[in-house]
Each structure stands twice: as structure tokens, then as C-alpha cells.
Amino acid sequence: MIDLSTLTIQSAREALKAKKFSSRELTQACIDAVKDKDGNIHAFLEIFKNVLDQADEADKKIKEGIDLPLLGIPIALKDNITVAGEHASASSKILENFVSPTNSTAVNKLQEAGAIIFGRTNCDEFAMGSSTENSAFGPTKNPLDQTRVSGGSSGGSAAAVAGGMVLGALGSDTGGSIRQPASFCGLVGFKPTYGRISRSGLMAMTSSFDQIGPFSKTVEDAELIYEVLRGPDSLDSTTITEEIYPKQKNFDKTIGVPRMFINKASENTKKNVEEAIKRFESLGYKVIDLEFPTIEYSLAVYYVIVPAEISSNMARFDGVKYGLRVGGENGIDDYFKTRGVGFGKEVRRRIILGTYVLSSGYYDAYYGTAENVRSLIRKEFREAFKKVDLILLPTTPSSAFKFGERSSPLDMYLEDIFTVPANVTGCPCITLPFGKENDLPLGIELIGDLGREDNIFKASKEFYG
Ligand code: GLN
């Protein structure tokens, strides 16, 4: 019997190499787990039909002695990452029947590394949300407490791993959509430096923030997936090379904590951060207070720039180029009808907000100002990373909330207060499961300087010993 709830990718790789089980057996165990558990949880929208064929291919390679980093390991994908010949809907009605003609670069890289492309997971529509309640196909429940959300927007990927249905999954993180659901479900979630992983084949939400990244049970597994996915790509001109960000300092175990900012969290969360600080100090880390006057504007900046980019990225869904088409009286009526029927409430809200902040007369006051403040925040982060290797924050203001509990959009947006600074600045950031609230997991975040994923992984591994 393969126990998927405790098995890690690393240990599964060892077991596959030692022929303790085959990739076919492992993949079948994942299929059975989905059949068994996912009726209630709803992490998956689909398991791809050819998964067992992919597993047989992997087993052939294992027999031939070929060694690849993810050979034979089933990995699930958020429904906004494309696979050639498979549906990809971004959990939206407008793309319900869309079949992708091409692979995303991330999927190409997973395949080159021998992974089984297992299936697609539920998410907030076009990755807009913090609870997966905005999916057109119904919400995903938190496997640790089914009265609560799994987080969002990559809630399906988090629930798929935390529910013991696959060993690893990919999500996308524009403002926390990997880290927040990972934290709610007791997992490790990682967002790399902006540009580190190609966005080619990731459906764009906010092009200047979006990054793909992994969900896993351990830091080692997250690093393994990250190493497979990273690297420049000619199909994405925003991908970066190693040299682009000069190293500002050598790692000397220094962590900065913006305590003034953390004051905005619940008492439990603040206490939890202090516990994490104690643990780092006992490991020989120097923890210092950081003055960070601009960090608290990250959320406001985020919720101006993000809708602005969304309003232009969503323009391609016009009833002509892709997906749903609802016919009207004339061309413009087709457009209104298709988009009115095809998009859910949150997507429409953000298109309207974004169009407003970009409109002539308001552009300078909103979008222009937000971009200027973004530059100030980036500068302050860069300065901070001359003094410290990492910045420590809580991942979320509290543990997983109940369905319907954040029904006002503003309450929902406040969920992102601690995750968005890493996106606004482009910095890499990990969430590590640490501590509990109401018996549910909490997480802490470590943000690194641009291009310094190495520091994050070093400290995270030391944190768990
Ligand atoms: N919760 C944030 C939002 O709704 C983050 C989304 C994301 O990272 N994709 O914008």
C-alpha cells in the first residue's frame, strides 16, 4: 500500500529507483485517492486520460536506468497552465470548452524531467481571489476541515497535495495565490523571483506580477520542482538570467522583521511570528527590527495595478478569438453578451476597476501614482537586503476561514496584506507551515532579495533541521 498522505517526492523517487513500486502503481494510487476523496473536496477538474500511459513510459525509462529529477512522479497543474491537447479553462465559463494547442514552458520542463502530467486543479476564476470560492465550477474544500476554504486562488492545487491525492502541484502566484492556500493547507509553497520561471502558457492575470511555483510537503520537494522549472525562455522576454541581479551581500544568517507592519495581524499570528523568531535565533540567526515605512502601501498599490493589467489582459476574450461566443445583434453586442455571460462577478468587478484607473483623466492619479509608489517600495526592499538576507512575515492574517466568511470584496482583499509585498517587488518568497490557530495550520513567510532563492532554501531547510 502506498501511503500518499505522508509520501514526499524525494522518498517516492528513492522508492521508484529501488523498484519498491512502479510509476504505474504510484499513479494508480493517485487516481484511486482522487476517486475516493475528491467527491467532497473538489480539488480536481479533470485527471488527464493518458496518465497511465505516461506512467508506463516512465517505468520503461526507470528500467533502462535513466535518472531524471521527477521521473515517474505525478504532478497536478492549476487550470491556468496549458497542456497541448488538453482543456484549460482558468475555472471560467468563458473557457469551459477551450483546448490548448500548445504546452506551457513549465509543462515542457516537467515532461523533460520525467514527471507525469496528472490533471488540472480548480482555482478562482482567472486566478482572482483568495478562497477558490470564485471558480465557475464550485469551490474547493480544505481537506483539513471541510467547513473551511482551501485558500486561493490555487486552492485546488493545495487541496490536491494536502488531501493526499498527488505529491506535488503547480500554482500561479500574482499576489499570494501559491503561498496563502499552501499556508491554509499546511504545505510549503514557493514563489520565485519575477522572471525566474517562464510564463509562456500561463494564462495572464497581471503580467508584471504573475509567477508559476510549486506546492509540496517539504522544502526539499519545492526546491526540486523549482530547479526543474527555472531558467530563461525565448518564449517569455521577461525571464531573467543569473547575472541580472548583482549579489548585494554574502549570506550571514541575518533576518529582518518589520514589526510595525506585523502589528496588523491577529494576536495568535503575532505570537506565532515571535515563536519563529525564537527558533531562528536558537539556530544562530541574528534577527533585527526593520523600519519599513512603505511596505504597508503594498496592498493599495497591488489593488490598483492588478485590476489595470487585468482589464487589458482580459480584452482578448471577445467571443471571437477563444472560447465562448454568445451571438448578439451586432459585433459589439456579441462582445457584451459573451463577456457578460462568460465572466463571473469578481472578474467583471476587476475589469471595471482597471478600466477606471486607466481612463484618461484618472490615469495619473491612480495608475501612475501606484507605479511610483511601487518603485519606492522596490527601492526600500533593495536597501533592506543590503543589511539582511531575509525578511520574515506571517503568511496570512489568520488560519483558514469558513465559506462565505469574507463575503465583502474588501475583506477578501485584506487577506493578501502579507503576501503581496513579494509580488509588488518581484522578490522570491516561501511559506513554511509553522504553528496552529484553532487547530488549523499557520504559515510564516521568508522573502529573499531579487535572485536570491538560494538564501531562502538554505534558511528554510535549517529551520526544520
Ligand atoms: N488573492 C489575490 C488576488 O485576488 C492573489 C491572486 C493571485 O495570486 N493569483 O488578486
Side-chain angles (χ1 to χ4, degrees), residues 237-440:
S237 61
T238 62
T239 50
I240 54 170
T241 55
E242 284 304 320
E243 306 76 45
I244 195 159
Y245 295 116
K247 220 174 168 184
Q248 298 206 100
K249 80 184 271 295
N250 287 325
F251 186 73
D252 66 356
K253 294 190 159 196
T254 317
I255 296 181
V257 184
R259 278 203 169 82
M260 288 284 279
F261 182 50
I262 294 176
N263 263 339
K264 299 197 179 323
S266 73
E267 285 308 312
N268 280 328
T269 310
K270 280 192 272 189
K271 246 191 260 153
N272 199 49
V273 169
E274 294 303 326
E275 289 298 315
I277 291 172
K278 270 189 224 148
R279 167 143 8 159
F280 273 117
E281 283 174 339
S282 75
L283 293 166
Y285 281 76
K286 196 163 105 208
V287 181
I288 60 168
D289 255 1
L290 270 187
E291 287 283 322
F292 231 137
T294 62
I295 196 172
E296 63 180 277
Y297 299 111
S298 302
L299 192 69
V301 164
Y302 179 88
Y303 275 102
V304 174
I305 298 176
V306 163
E309 292 195 32
I310 285 171
S311 75
S312 65
N313 272 330
M314 293 296 125
R316 73 193 66 178
F317 302 105
D318 56 6
V320 178
K321 296 191 202 74
Y322 316 82
L324 184 75
R325 173 191 174 81
V326 181
E329 304 279 300
N330 50 40
I332 194 75
D333 199 34
D334 289 358
Y335 185 83
F336 287 142
K337 288 222 162 67
T338 302
R339 288 163 68 87
V341 171
F343 286 140
K345 211 170 168 183
E346 183 60 24
V347 176
R348 282 180 281 140
R349 177 182 294 121
R350 293 197 193 197
I351 292 171
I352 292 169
L353 259 174
T355 309
Y356 179 77
V357 301
L358 288 176
S359 58
S360 72
Y362 291 110
Y363 179 94
D364 282 339
Y366 293 104
Y367 183 76
T369 306
E371 283 293 357
N372 288 341
V373 178
R374 181 188 196 178
S375 302
L376 291 177
I377 302 170
R378 277 182 83 110
K379 217 164 119 197
E380 210 165 83
F381 265 73
R382 244 359 221 169
E383 284 303 309
F385 284 121
K386 288 181 184 158
K387 291 185 280 197
V388 300
D389 300 304
L390 297 160
I391 294 170
L392 174 68
L393 289 177
T395 307
T396 57
S398 67
S399 58
F401 49 88
K402 294 204 160 145
F403 287 97
E405 231 174 34
R406 302 281 185 277
S407 51
S408 114
L410 277 184
D411 285 347
M412 192 67 95
Y413 298 168
L414 280 169
E415 278 299 307
D416 307 327
I417 185 161
F418 298 121
T419 48
V420 296
N423 305 80
V424 168
T425 56
C427 290
C429 184
I430 201 165
T431 178
L432 304 172
F434 180 71
K436 296 243 162 178
E437 180 181 64
N438 305 324
D439 237 13
L440 289 159

Side-chain angles (χ1 to χ4, degrees), residues 78 127-130 153 172-177 205 302-303 350 416:
K78 184 175 182 177
M128 300 176 204
S130 310
S153 63
S172 65
D173 193 309
T174 303
S177 280
M205 171 181 161
Y302 179 88
Y303 275 102
R350 293 197 193 197
D416 307 327

